[in-house]
Amino acid sequence: MVELRHSSSLGARASSSPMKRDEDASPLIHGSTHDDDHRHHFSRDRDRPFWSFLSDDLRVFSPLNSKISLILISVFVIVGLISAFSIFNRLNAPYLCKKDGIALHCPHVKEAPSLWENPLSATTSWKPCAERRNDGISDLPPENETNGYIFIHAEGGLNQQRIAICNAVAVAKIMNATLILPVLKQDQIWKDQTKFEDIFDVDHFIDYLKNDVRIVRDIPEWFTDKSELFTSIRRTVKNIPKYAPAQFYIDNVLPRIKEKKIMALKPFVDRLGYDNVPPEINRLRCRVNYHALKFLPEIEEMSDLLVSRMRNRTGISNPFMALHLRFEKGMVGLSFCDFVGTRDEKDRMAEYRKKEWPRRYKNGSHLWQLALQKRKEGRCPLEPEEVAVILRAMGYPKETQIYVASGQVYGGQNRMAPLKNMFPSLEELATKEELDGFRKHVTSLAALDFLVCLKSDVFVMTHGGNFAKLIIGARRYMGHRQKSIKPDKGLMSKSFGDPYMGWATFVEDVVVTHQTRTGLPEETFPNYDLWENPLTPCMCRA
């Protein structure tokens, strides 16, 4: 990000058009009976400055010419004032905020009435309707009539795994198959060996969905060659396209399940579409996501403790904000965006990218232009200090309580310092001893972050990803009242890059731009992500 500071350099030079002299106009003289006197006075007066007439006896002017003179003088004064004001503004236009070392100082912004929640009038037209059916009647065929068993490995981090589980239930329903409890596969980045039962309440999961899909805890005993799953081509379906329609599973996967009785689906990331499946399947996916997948009681209790501490840190009950700050080294590297830093930092990041993504890196010569383009398109993660300036422009005061959900921030304390300086209430909420029980599974810590963000008064994302999508979607599903701020990174990049944009203009741009980016009801459109906006078909008109 370009340094946020007061600019003392000259802006674009102010221009003023010289006044055009009307050479055909009659001279301002008192009537004379001698032509020589007339020419003498005219010649003398023509070379005098215009304003010297002000010192003459007013009797030399006719009333009409006097009015003309006053009008011209007024025009000169007005033009001069406008020019001076323009020059003053350009010379003193703040480049958003003054930066003093690692500290940022932004002008105060008056707090808006709707700072902590969306207007009630905009949040009462929809209600969630994907919960368990009231009739309690199962439409499942008898157990001996199941078409077979499917088995998946849920890959990636916690939230990617969550989406895979929801899709697995939906696919089992489409094919009338029995789902074997998904395995959470070790992720190459997180290096975590968490099992389903280490995070989620298995009994609740199976019981809640018992009228929708048959789910078993383990591979059936009659299937003796368990090691064959995911290793034998004969037992694995690998040709499932991304965002496949329901009909694809019926035509291509179901026959193989009927033949082999048990099949593994691999890979299983985003293997079911949104617009090409029946509405009841999408409602089922929401039922799994918002009702059946429930974290273990100890995770829920710890999250409630953290939320309580956030609300009572000042001794009185107060709202708090959760900030999902995606600025880890891996995210910065993968983005291939350029961030201000020392030459040594840039060299080390270049080596890191070259090692991790050699095909994209190539020789690095194209990356600068690519970085500029990505920033203009809003595809770069927001830096901590950029987030701080945006939040201050929205009106959040220095005393705002902020819970930061983030991995190790790239650049360490120096990169976080401007955010902490502007919002000092960024402290540890739990002791090391309290978190020791959760550290054995990285996924457990991710679950705590998920729940605290879900229960916050305001949630702010800084970059895309499954975590932010699921949080925003869940908060919408709960009634749209909770604000979920999704910054317009493309527009903000233009504002941050404008050296002549004053603070007042920036504040207006931020407020106007984000009036409709706070998790309000938003109609879906083809290929819209169900996890970020469950409005239809998972919600109904109130």
Side-chain angles (χ1 to χ4, degrees), residues 60-313:
V60 302
F61 298 103
S62 68
L64 177 62
N65 289 331
S66 177
K67 290 181 180 180
I68 295 174
S69 299
L70 290 175
I71 291 173
L72 291 174
I73 293 172
S74 299
V75 171
F76 267 111
V77 171
I78 292 172
V79 171
L81 288 174
I82 293 174
S83 299
F85 182 74
S86 175
I87 293 172
F88 178 81
N89 273 349
R90 286 186 175 274
L91 290 176
N92 296 279
Y95 193 23
L96 300 188
C97 299
K98 181 179 180 181
K99 189 169 184 180
D100 182 13
I102 59 176
L104 277 176
H105 304 283
C106 295
H108 177 72
V109 176
K110 184 178 179 181
E111 296 183 32
S114 60
L115 196 63
W116 290 103
E117 60 183 17
N118 284 321
L120 180 61
S121 59
T123 62
T124 55
S125 56
W126 293 88
K127 65 177 183 179
C129 59
E131 59 269 28
R132 187 182 353 211
R133 293 172 301 187
N134 295 327
D135 55 24
I137 300 174
S138 173
D139 59 359
L140 289 177
E143 185 175 353
N144 59 357
E145 293 184 13
T146 181
N147 286 322
Y149 293 78
I150 61 171
F151 183 65
I152 71 156
H153 269 172
E155 303 176 357
L158 171 64
N159 298 288
Q160 185 170 310
Q161 291 171 344
R162 188 184 190 101
I163 293 174
I165 293 167
C166 296
N167 287 338
V169 172
V171 167
K173 179 69 173 180
I174 290 171
M175 297 188 295
N176 185 27
T178 298
L179 175 66
I180 300 170
L181 195 69
V183 171
L184 308 187
K185 187 179 179 182
Q186 178 180 351
D187 184 79
Q188 294 181 351
I189 297 177
W190 296 107
K191 307 293 184 184
D192 193 34
Q193 292 281 12
T194 306
K195 297 179 182 179
F196 191 105
E197 56 267 28
D198 294 329
I199 297 295
F200 300 109
D201 186 331
V202 177
D203 291 334
H204 176 79
F205 178 71
I206 294 176
D207 181 69
Y208 199 93
L209 297 171
K210 65 183 179 182
N211 292 326
D212 294 299
V213 176
R214 186 171 287 105
I215 303 172
V216 296
R217 291 175 176 268
D218 204 354
I219 299 171
E221 293 182 359
W222 55 261
F223 188 78
T224 56
D225 197 1
K226 295 184 180 181
S227 61
E228 191 179 347
L229 285 178
F230 280 99
T231 59
S232 171
I233 296 178
R234 295 186 300 108
R235 291 286 181 182
T236 305
V237 180
K238 291 188 175 183
N239 59 343
I240 303 173
K242 259 193 163 186
Y243 304 112
Q247 196 62 41
F248 177 88
Y249 285 91
I250 294 173
D251 294 340
N252 300 279
V253 181
L254 182 57
R256 298 189 64 183
I257 293 176
K258 287 182 175 180
E259 177 190 357
K260 301 292 184 179
K261 292 302 179 185
I262 183 168
M263 293 291 293
L265 309 183
K266 180 184 179 182
F268 202 71
V269 178
D270 298 324
R271 300 294 147 173
L272 185 63
Y274 304 117
D275 301 302
N276 47 22
V277 301
E280 59 268 21
I281 294 298
N282 279 333
R283 276 195 295 274
L284 175 59
R285 289 201 276 188
C286 289
R287 186 149 59 248
V288 178
N289 187 28
Y290 302 127
H291 300 283
L293 279 176
K294 187 177 180 181
F295 291 113
L296 292 176
E298 53 266 35
I299 297 176
E300 293 277 357
E301 291 168 5
M302 188 62 192
S303 71
D304 288 338
L305 177 61
L306 295 177
V307 169
S308 176
R309 289 177 180 175
M310 284 299 304
R311 295 199 190 282
N312 297 281
R313 292 173 78 179

Side-chain angles (χ1 to χ4, degrees), residues 114-115 117-119 122-123 394 396 457-459 472 475-476 480-487 511 513-522:
S114 60
L115 196 63
E117 60 183 17
N118 284 321
T123 62
M394 289 179 176
Y396 291 98
D457 296 276
V458 171
F459 172 70
I472 292 175
R475 291 165 70 90
R476 278 178 160 155
H480 297 97
R481 191 72 185 270
Q482 297 172 303
K483 293 187 75 170
S484 301
I485 299 173
K486 186 177 181 179
V511 172
T513 299
H514 296 93
Q515 282 178 341
T516 58
R517 299 177 70 90
T518 60
L520 291 168
E522 181 181 334

